[in-house]
Amino acid sequence: MTVADSLIVDIVELRRRTGTRRDVEITLMLDDMAVRDRFVVDGRLDVALTVEAITEGVAAHGVVNCTTRAPCRRCLDEVDGPMRLDFHEIFESEPTDGETWPIKDERIDLTPVIREIALLSLPLAPLCGDDCVGPEPERFPTGVYEEAQPVKDDRWAALEGLSFDE
Ligand SMILES: [Zn+2]
């Protein structure tokens, strides 16, 4: 398995005939694969994709596998989980903003594509387990308030002083 910090595919051969395909398998190690406290562990993304010459340019479709880490929404402990993403993108010489990606110098750069797909899919509010009860009592005491005495209402305190035996 190839390991790299970018995924750029030369498409000169590919574009000689529409319908030509090429499979690529690679492990990407990218920096800054994080959105605040949610991130891709080690910035590692295992990618398997097929690039294909189409009339408009080049189609790239495949799957990305990685491990994500984010704080549990109840206890804030870090939770690891597998993430699998399918993608299907089009590359064109004159790309449509927000819809297709550029072909530059007869090459396509899938690095920003995969980065964006993964960052947008990071789990928002994972749970460390269905039985998570929330914060650790020692670190974030929540029971204190339940044991507190009920607050006395001053209006009743005045009545307590009254005697009806006179
Ligand atoms: Zn938890």
Side-chain angles (χ1 to χ4, degrees):
M1 176 74 77
T2 314
V3 178
D5 60 4
S6 67
L7 174 48
I8 296 167
V9 180
D10 189 312
I11 56 166
V12 175
E13 290 293 323
L14 199 74
R15 292 191 82 189
R16 295 229 165 100
R17 225 180 79 223
T18 300
T20 309
R21 290 164 163 244
R22 193 172 137 203
D23 295 329
V24 180
E25 271 191 43
I26 195 168
T27 294
L28 275 179
M29 302 294 281
L30 301 182
D31 292 333
D32 303 320
M33 285 302 297
V35 178
R36 294 199 200 89
D37 51 4
R38 303 177 291 131
F39 54 96
V40 172
V41 175
D42 298 330
R44 177 190 169 133
L45 303 134
D46 294 312
V47 185
L49 68 101
T50 301
V51 286
E52 180 178 355
I54 56 173
T55 318
E56 310 94 286
V58 171
H61 59 94
V63 60
V64 178
N65 279 287
C66 62
T67 302
T68 62
R69 185 170 293 165
C72 168
R73 67 172 179 267
R74 287 189 197 150
C75 69
L76 301 181
D77 274 355
E78 287 186 325
V79 186
D80 283 10
M83 182 163 79
R84 182 199 152 97
L85 303 164
D86 294 301
F87 65 92
H88 193 117
E89 303 290 334
I90 304 290
F91 290 77
E92 296 177 299
S93 300
E94 288 175 27
T96 310
D97 215 20
E99 285 181 33
T100 58
W101 300 84
I103 293 174
K104 275 184 198 157
D105 306 324
E106 288 304 297
R107 299 198 301 180
I108 59 172
D109 187 356
L110 284 134
T111 323
V113 180
I114 289 162
R115 174 188 296 280
E116 184 180 296
I117 291 168
L119 289 180
L120 288 175
S121 307
L122 287 171
L124 276 174
L127 206 54
C128 65
D130 289 337
D131 55 347
C132 178
V133 292
E136 290 172 47
E138 314 87 64
R139 281 169 60 198
F140 307 103
T142 54
V144 174
Y145 304 102
E146 288 157 27
E147 289 162 19
Q149 292 298 313
V151 177
K152 276 188 180 171
D153 190 317
D154 284 343
R155 286 170 298 182
W156 295 111
L159 289 178
E160 276 174 20
L162 292 177
S163 170
F164 297 100
D165 294 334
E166 292 171 34

